[in-house]
Amino acid sequence: MSAQPAEPHAIGHDPDEIVARLPERYRARFLAEYREAMVAAAHETWRWKHLAEVLNLWHLRSLTYSAPGYEQARADVAAGVPGVPADTVIPGWSQLVADAGRQA
């Protein structure tokens, strides 16, 4: 068995990779939130979990925002264009909705 190098962040949570993947209009917001969480973690080490959460959230956002068709889908929603019904793409959607209604 060979030793493997340690990763400083979870795969995909590298701030440089997130910035590179994000469309330009989201970069300033990411950098502001990242810097705020980083400064907080530097002053109060127990806040490192929040920094990790910020990186994870923005990693997921960067994947979504950079996906082909995202901007068009966003524009369609804003314009009220009907999309694909959830029950056709999410197995068991109707049952999930019914179960949630009974729990409320």
Side-chain angles (χ1 to χ4, degrees), residues 9-98:
H9 298 288
I11 295 173
H13 297 153
D14 181 330
D16 289 332
E17 289 178 13
I18 293 170
V19 168
R21 192 179 305 116
L22 279 172
E24 182 67 34
R25 70 187 194 134
Y26 298 105
R27 290 177 185 167
R29 183 172 161 209
F30 163 68
L31 290 171
E33 289 184 26
Y34 171 62
R35 287 177 181 135
E36 181 181 335
M38 191 171 48
V39 168
H43 292 287
E44 299 173 318
T45 56
W46 57 270
R47 292 183 183 261
W48 70 268
K49 287 181 183 179
H50 177 67
L51 175 58
E53 290 169 359
V54 167
L55 287 169
N56 185 53
L57 177 63
W58 277 100
H59 162 69
L60 296 173
R61 285 178 177 166
S62 72
L63 294 173
T64 300
Y65 297 162
S66 64
Y70 171 77
E71 289 299 329
Q72 183 60 50
R74 187 170 188 248
D76 289 349
V77 168
V81 175
V84 177
D87 55 355
T88 63
V89 293
I90 302 172
W93 178 253
S94 299
Q95 186 61 46
L96 291 169
V97 170

